[in-house]
Structures are given as structure tokens and as C-alpha cells.
Amino acid sequence: MRCDDVGLDNCLKCSDCNTVCPVMTAYSAYPGPKHLGPELERLRREGLSCDSDWLEYCLGCDRCSLACPNQVPVSAMIARAKTRHVKPAIRRWRDFLLARPAVLGAVFSVAPALSNAMLGFRPVRRVMAAIAKITDRRSFPPYAAPFRLRKAASSGHSDKPRVLFFPGCSISFNQPGLGQTVLAVLDQAGFDVSVAGAGCCGIPAMGNGDLAQALRCARANVKNLAFAAELGIPVITACTSCGHMLKSGFGEVLAEDADMAAAARHVAAASYDLGEFLLEHWAGEEAAHAPGPPQRLAYHAPCHQLSQGTGRPWFHLLRRLPGVDIVDLNAGCCGMAGTFGFKDEKYPVAMSIGSRLFDAIACRQPEAVVSECPTCRLQIEHGAAIQAIHPVEILRRVMT
Amino acid sequence: MGNARFDLIVVGAGLSGLMTASVAADAGLSVCVVHSGLGLFVFGAGCVERVPLTDAEADDEPAALTAFREFTRSAGCPFLTGDDPEAGFYLPTILGSFQHLHLAPYSLHAGIAATGCRVAVVGIRGLTSFDARFVADRLGGQSFGLGAPGIYVAREIDLGLPFGTVPTPLLLANRFDRDAGFRDLLGAALRLAADKVDRLLIPGILGQISTHADIVSFEAGLGCRVGELPTFPPSIPGLRLYQALAANLRDRGVEFLGGFPVTELLLRGGVCEGVVVETPARPKRVSADAVVLASGQFSSSLLGFNRNGVDAEARPLRSAGGPVAVNLYAVGALLAALDGGCGGNARAVVSGYRTAMRVVAATGGKERRHAMR
């Protein structure tokens, strides 16, 4: 694994990390991962705080760490510095809320129609923008009655191999139908699927520098999922950011606690992205022969899919489906970075980063864009004015 | 399904690795490029030098360079020779020296040394790591030594770069890619700097993701040919070449698995069955019929080889003699480190071509793979 203690010494100052940073491509003033990471880290280790508002602009996309030829954990250094970053009161309280999508989700999904009406009401949004700096230039994803299915349709006596689905906040509170689709696909692919009683994976807390909340999420999830790891039951996510946390994030957050870190590693070893899992463990014969309507699609790989090192499983799964004409947009980061694009002062940067992707979509003119990340889908729908769906929906259509 | 399986794994996404992948993909092989980092594209611009090769390599050089030119052309980053392809040509560097080259990308080519050429070396006020006066002074003298005396003057343009930041070529290249207003500003300033000269030499800032058409149309607006000078890392022309080549390979079906190092070669019974990649959560096994190591000069010790050299097929040897594996090859700077030969881009291109052709012959291509299923 990437060695944290010697990681800093590995830095060659080559600037490879800077070349791939999405924020640097779009925002000239941003100092970049080399500076916020290893350069300042040398001073931080001497006890200098080196705090900077620029830390808030790091998307946590991990592209810097991937580009490093010498395995410096650039992204992790910046994330750690973010947890010590001091913000003025308004941003601190706003980010406190944004770091807790499970809490917001629980509240808003009590009466979703009312919540959506309120969150869509312009005067309310103007007040939120003025007071809490949550931008009114984009809509919130609608809330729905939560995804509560604990046990799938199968009985406990099934001899099908067991898998555990980790839904995440977006499916739980915004897209429960997508959760149902995932269960149906896994069931039809021959697996006995149950749903983890899990909370938020904690990545919004990480992105907002809220270490206490991130630790809470990490500990709760590692304890909750430990049984699956022990029994060799794959833990499957359909959200690439949840997947990133399960595979790498929990270990990073819990690094100080040796026992929890070891438990996190076991959970990580059992964790799979849905596309990765289907590509590895499912023959997919049914889909290859099922008739399908012709579809012109474009695939956008989320940053946290690249950071999992799985290749492009969904791209390959969909390519094989008859009638599917799909292209990999390969146009960089969408700019949304979870909660980042909701922040009023960050919104222009988010849209500027995404402009390359929006242009690529406009060039390709697909019927829909497919992407595994819920906030990538939000950003694509907002910036490219086109439907964005999870690739499992395409698979579902040909599996019935 | 199981873990991924390909006809060929290329370890490393530098010039030799991408060349190997391209030639193999052309022959119908399924290829996976596993890499960690951007390779030496961040130095230079992929220019191909005139260097002494082994006799066997020299025989294949024309075919290899033809394949390379076709690869780069179709990727949208065409490479050009000088007027006399055999003689080579000279291109300037930011240290004020000249490099003797066989091939260079279009965006550098205008800097070619030519007798009587009037050249303005254009610096940008506030830009780090580029001293136009230093470059112009040196190039003038050096060009005499080459027998192609030219007139080199230093000029400076002011793009109003904000005071207090440290503008780098990367910053300007990103602006070039994203900001039409910046391109107009740069174009207008360079038009003025082109007064009474035949050529402009500028630091390499013409975008990371710009296409050949973008650069040609920018140049057309200047009324004067412009040659980029690759700066200290990260070199923008090199990055642009990498983006273009990688995108081209992806479109041709080559799979890229980037960001994680190879930690193990799967060796069994004298055959390399694949590699293990250090991906998060679980190491990933990628299997293949052949593995080509294009991982650079610093990787030979990491991969556990003593320097026992290579055989005639460019396969690393064991200390006891014989290849480490019959289907494991080395190309590029790694090959140079193992056989003590010269490195550089010419060797990268030629060794990549030769090894890919060998792998194609050995694996028999697509038909055989389907027959095995």
C-alpha cells in the first residue's frame, strides 16, 4: 500500500500531479496539489500550520495521487490538512450540514413532496444562498420515501451465493428506485442479495474537512460490515464515491487506530463496485442475447471510479449489449465533486471544470449519458442539459 | 469471466510502451497498458533523435519510424522530418543549444535551424523558467557552429499575468485550452512580436488538450510560423503528445489501467502468465499471453532482475542463463539499462516496434485466441 510515512520523501517535485488536477485546469489562481500536498506538508511536519482557504478547493478526486510516478499520497495529505483548516462561521456551518447527507436525507424524506417543493421554491433558495452560501443556480436532487428494503425477495434458504448491497445516501434518500433496480439485477444475475443497514460512507464529511464526522461514519460502517468481510460475502456499492471510501477511505481515516485500520482493510478486501463485480463474477449470457432497442449512449467515468483501479467495467458491460452504441467520453472531471458544486463561491469553478465534459457531450449528442456517480449525473444534467442515468438501468432493460 | 485477460500486457505508458501497444493493437491483439504515472513525456516532446542502433535494430528502423509516424498522425500529433530525411535537422532547446533530430512534432518543427532565418525568441513577462534573452544569445552563436547561421533576437510580450502568483507554462497551457479570450490576447501579442522576423520561438504553452487543428489555426492567425520550446517538466508538448496517443489507443480498444504500480510478475514454468497490480482493497491480477516491460530505466532492480542483460529477442535473462520467461520482453529505457545500449526516443520507438512484431508472431494474433476459448 502507499506508505504514508515515507510518502513525503518520495516526492520528486516533478509536477505530474499538477498536470492532471481538474481545478488547476480551470482556475489559474489555485496553487495545486503539489503545493497544498507535499510542499506544505514539509512545513506542517515542522509544526507550522500553513492553513489556507485554497484547501477548500481540493475536490478530493484523487487524480493527483494516481498521476504520481512515485506513489506519494498527495490527495491524502491534502485531505488531512483540510481537517485542520479553519473556516469562517458561515462556511463552517454550511459545510457542517453538507457533511451530513444522511441526516439531511432522513429529515427531508419524512415528507418528500413538501421538502422538494420547499427546496425548489425560489425565495427559499435565495435565502439559502444569502445566508448559508448554498447556491441557487442549481436544483437539489429530489428526495423520496427512503429505500428501506432490508431483505431481498429471496428466502434465507437460498443456495445462491450471498452478496451485501451498500446503498449509500443518494440511493437511500434520492433514488430508491435505482436501489430496487440494483437488487433486481443482482437477483437475476444469480445472487442472494441483502441490504446493509449502513449509514453514510462519510465521503461528504471528508470533502468538507469534518474529521469527527468522517471517523464516526468510518467506525460505524467498518463495524457494521465486518461480518460480511469475515464470511467472505462481497459488499457491493453502486456509487463510486461510496466504493472509494470502502476500498481506501476508511483505512485512511482510521489509520491512527491499528485495530480499526486492520478491520477496515478486511472490509476493503470484500468491497466491490457493482460493475466490477458483475464483470468478474457473472457470465452475462442472458444479456448477450437479449434483444434491445438501439441506443446511442456516452459513458463518463467518475474520478472515484478511476481511483478504484478497476478499469472501465460498466463501459465493457454495456458495449456487449446488442443495439448499444456507446463511446467513452474521456473528458476529465465533471467538476461537481459531491457537495463542492452546491457551494455558492465554488459554483463557477465547478462549472468551469465541467465545461470540457459538457462540450464533449454536445459533440457526441448521445440520447443519454451513463455514469456510476450520482453527483456526476447531477452535474451532467445541469451543465449539459441531457439525461444522465446509472449504467445498471441499461442492463436492467435487457435483463427482463 | 474471472480477472482480466489480454493477448498482451504492456507495463509502462511512456513512448516505448505506447508504441508497443499501438503496433500490437494494429495487428488485432487485445492490449492492456498498466502504468503508474505519466512517464518521461513530461520531459521534452517525444522528438526522435539520430542515434546509433544495433545492426538488427537499424534494419527495422525504417518500418518502425513509418509505423510511428502513422500512429502520431492518426492521433492528431503529426511528426515531421527535415528537408532531407537522411540528414536530419536541428531544433533549439530552452538552454540555447541545438538537438540533432530525425523527427519532431509539428508544433516544434518551425524552430528548425536554417541559414539566414530571422527568429524572435519570445519571452512572456512574469513567466518562470524561461529567459528569452539567454536563449536567443546562445542560439545565435550555436547556429553559426552548425553551419546554419541565423539571426536570433529576444522579445518580450506582456499578457498581464497577475502579480503575486507564479505563472508557469502549465498555467498558461491550461488557459490556452479553456479560454478563448486568452488565446486572442496571446495571438495579438505574438503578432506584434512577429514584426520583421520569419519565425517565432515561444515556450511550450499551446495547450495540453489542443488538437493539431487548434494549433494550426492559432498559427494561421499570427501570420508567422511558431515553434514551441519544451520547458522544464512538465513539458506541455510532451503532455499533449501523451494525451493524444493515449486517447487514440483507447479509441482503438486498448485498455488502460493507470495509477497503480505493478508489484509482481506471475512467473510459472518459464512463462510469464501476467502481472499483479497494486490496486486499492485487493491486488488485481491481469493475465496475458505476453508481457512487455516498458517501465523505464529505474525499474530493473525493482523487478528483481540482476543485470544479466537480454537475449537477441530482447528478453531479460536469468543469472543462470536463458530468459526469465519466454514471453517476457523489455523495451525502451529499461532495455537500454539491461543491455547497456543507448536510450532515448529512437530506441523507444524501434524497440517497441520490434518487440510488438515479435509478440504478434509468437501469439498468432486474434484467430488463435478465439480458438483457445
Side-chain angles (χ1 to χ4, degrees):
Chain A
M1 298 303 281
R2 292 167 195 257
C3 293
D4 201 13
D5 284 341
V6 301
L8 182 56
D9 289 338
N10 280 10
C11 177
L12 309 171
K13 301 291 288 290
C14 68
S15 298
D16 284 15
C17 53
N18 281 352
T19 67
V20 299
C21 174
V23 185
M24 283 194 89
T25 64
Y27 192 18
S28 297
Y30 182 64
K34 181 173 85 167
H35 178 69
L36 293 174
E39 271 181 7
L40 289 185
E41 191 70 10
R42 291 188 174 91
L43 301 177
R44 288 177 201 127
R45 294 215 184 164
E46 296 299 313
L48 298 168
S49 92
C50 301
D51 196 10
S52 165
D53 284 349
W54 287 121
L55 290 166
E56 296 175 39
Y57 284 82
C58 172
L59 307 181
C61 68
D62 220 37
R63 285 177 184 254
C64 48
S65 296
L66 296 182
C68 178
N70 226 13
Q71 283 77 58
V72 177
V74 185
S75 180
M77 283 177 192
I78 302 175
R80 206 168 37 233
K82 254 195 204 182
T83 62
R84 296 184 204 124
H85 168 53
V86 175
K87 297 177 228 187
I90 290 180
R91 298 208 299 271
R92 197 166 63 238
W93 284 109
R94 177 209 48 205
D95 293 352
F96 180 90
L97 290 175
L98 292 177
R100 288 156 173 76
V103 173
L104 295 175
V107 166
F108 289 132
S109 59
V110 167
L114 181 61
S115 306
N116 293 334
M118 184 190 70
L119 292 172
F121 193 41
R122 280 223 60 77
V124 168
R125 295 302 300 272
R126 286 230 182 82
V127 167
M128 285 171 80
I131 295 183
K133 298 276 177 268
I134 293 176
T135 188
D136 61 352
R137 286 170 276 188
R138 69 189 317 143
S139 11
F140 282 109
Y143 286 87
F147 176 63
R148 290 243 183 269
L149 191 59
R150 294 283 161 200
K151 273 284 175 212
S154 60
S155 69
H157 307 295
S158 166
D159 56 4
K160 296 202 270 185
R162 287 182 66 190
V163 298
L164 188 65
F165 176 49
F166 181 99
C169 294
S170 176
I171 282 179
S172 292
F173 301 110
N174 300 114
Q175 290 192 285
L178 176 58
Q180 302 289 0
T181 300
V182 173
L183 294 184
V185 165
L186 283 169
D187 180 58
Q188 225 171 324
F191 298 96
D192 172 14
V193 51
S194 46
V195 179
C200 178
C201 70
I203 203 168
M206 284 302 293
N208 286 284
D210 192 333
L211 181 61
Q213 178 65 4
L215 277 168
R216 257 175 244 125
C217 294
R219 283 199 190 102
N221 280 309
V222 168
K223 285 187 181 137
N224 197 294
L225 299 170
F227 83 95
E230 242 165 275
L231 294 174
I233 299 172
V235 179
I236 300 179
T237 69
C239 166
T240 39
S241 296
C242 294
H244 176 75
M245 279 306 278
L246 260 66
K247 288 189 182 183
S248 319
F250 292 160
E252 262 165 37
V253 166
L254 296 167
E256 311 285 310
D257 179 341
D259 290 333
M260 287 302 294
R265 278 196 293 277
H266 287 129
V267 168
S271 299
Y272 289 80
D273 170 74
L274 178 62
E276 173 194 16
F277 183 79
L278 289 173
L279 197 62
E280 277 182 33
H281 294 99
W282 176 55
E285 302 299 343
E286 308 91 81
H289 299 294
Q295 297 175 88
R296 184 177 163 77
L297 301 173
Y299 172 69
H300 165 72
C303 298
H304 288 152
Q305 193 267 324
L306 298 173
S307 69
Q308 291 185 43
T310 55
R312 305 175 287 173
W314 274 116
F315 178 68
H316 291 296
L317 281 166
L318 294 189
R319 261 170 117 195
R320 295 171 207 196
L321 301 181
V324 169
D325 168 21
I326 187 167
V327 84
D328 183 350
L329 291 164
N330 192 29
C333 173
C334 75
M336 186 65 184
T339 59
F340 184 83
F342 283 111
K343 301 176 183 178
D344 201 40
E345 73 282 5
K346 314 292 198 287
Y347 175 84
V349 176
M351 295 306 284
S352 179
I353 293 169
S355 62
R356 183 184 166 200
L357 176 62
F358 307 149
D359 288 345
I361 293 170
C363 245
R364 163 74 178 166
Q365 306 223 319
E367 290 159 33
V369 176
V370 293
S371 185
E372 306 97 300
C373 172
T375 56
C376 289
R377 292 196 295 272
L378 281 180
Q379 177 79 329
I380 287 166
E381 290 195 337
H382 177 68
I386 190 171
Q387 188 195 25
I389 55 179
H390 192 293
V392 75
E393 313 253 26
I394 306 289
L395 193 59
R396 177 83 170 108
R397 289 176 202 166
V398 300
M399 279 177 92
T400 44
Chain B
M1 223 133 275
N3 273 298
R5 180 160 191 97
F6 298 87
D7 293 325
L8 170 66
I9 293 170
V10 177
V11 180
L15 196 59
S16 63
L18 297 191
M19 183 65 188
T20 308
S22 177
V23 176
D26 260 345
L29 267 58
S30 65
V31 184
C32 181
V33 176
V34 180
H35 70 107
S36 171
L38 303 171
L40 288 184
F41 282 107
V42 293
F43 286 88
C47 296
V48 177
E49 321 87 345
R50 298 219 65 99
V51 286
L53 301 166
T54 65
D55 289 339
E57 285 176 340
D59 284 342
D60 282 330
E61 194 188 7
L65 293 180
T66 301
F68 177 72
R69 292 190 70 185
E70 180 49 35
F71 179 26
T72 50
R73 188 201 61 77
S74 70
C77 193
F79 273 56
L80 308 176
T81 62
D83 290 331
D84 176 3
E86 287 308 304
F89 57 98
Y90 290 88
L91 278 190
T93 73
I94 63 160
L95 294 179
S97 56
F98 281 96
Q99 270 188 310
H100 192 204
L101 298 172
H102 184 98
L103 289 170
Y106 174 85
S107 71
L108 271 62
H109 198 261
I112 198 168
T115 302
C117 205
R118 299 168 305 165
V119 181
V121 181
V122 184
I124 301 172
R125 179 169 304 178
L127 182 67
T128 61
S129 317
F130 187 82
D131 184 336
R133 185 156 298 160
F134 173 78
V135 175
D137 285 348
R138 284 212 65 201
L139 287 179
Q142 294 279 316
S143 70
F144 269 82
L146 289 180
I151 300 162
Y152 291 83
V153 296
R155 292 188 177 155
E156 188 180 72
I157 60 175
D158 191 342
L159 299 177
L161 297 180
F163 182 75
T165 61
V166 183
T168 60
L170 178 63
L171 186 153
L172 296 184
N174 286 334
R175 292 281 292 278
F176 187 90
D177 280 330
R178 298 243 166 193
D179 185 352
F182 175 80
R183 285 195 294 276
D184 291 341
L185 178 66
L186 179 65
L190 289 177
R191 263 195 299 281
L192 291 177
D195 185 41
K196 298 196 184 63
V197 295
D198 309 309
R199 297 266 190 276
L200 294 176
L201 282 178
I202 62 170
I205 55 166
L206 299 180
Q208 276 198 67
I209 55 174
S210 45
T211 62
H212 181 59
D214 292 332
I215 291 176
V216 167
S217 93
F218 178 76
E219 204 180 29
L222 303 180
C224 175
R225 290 295 313 281
V226 63
E228 284 187 299
L229 292 171
T231 58
F232 294 120
S235 155
I236 301 303
L239 279 179
R240 184 186 313 130
L241 177 63
Y242 170 74
Q243 308 271 17
L245 295 181
N248 176 269
L249 288 171
R250 268 199 190 85
D251 287 343
R252 287 156 61 194
V254 173
E255 193 66 20
F256 277 75
L257 184 57
F260 306 97
V262 168
T263 50
E264 203 185 319
L265 299 177
L266 298 167
L267 299 170
R268 197 159 64 141
V271 174
C272 182
E273 296 184 330
V275 301
V276 177
V277 187
E278 199 192 307
T279 45
R282 286 177 303 282
K284 189 174 176 73
R285 290 171 67 108
V286 190
S287 313
D289 294 334
V291 175
V292 172
L293 301 178
S295 39
Q297 68 197 86
F298 301 112
S299 59
S300 56
S301 57
L302 290 173
L303 291 165
F305 302 142
N306 294 313
R307 294 198 172 204
N308 299 308
V310 291
D311 65 9
E313 309 285 300
R315 294 179 299 197
L317 296 169
R318 293 172 302 148
S319 50
V324 172
V326 297
N327 60 343
L328 179 69
Y329 305 84
V331 293
L334 176 60
L335 174 63
L338 290 174
D339 76 357
C342 68
N345 290 336
R347 195 109 200 271
V349 168
V350 175
S351 64
Y353 172 84
R354 281 164 57 82
T355 299
M357 296 303 275
R358 233 176 248 127
V359 168
V360 169
T363 60
K366 223 176 184 175
E367 267 79 69
R368 181 169 160 258
R369 183 164 164 259
H370 282 189
M372 276 169 69
R373 296 258 142 157

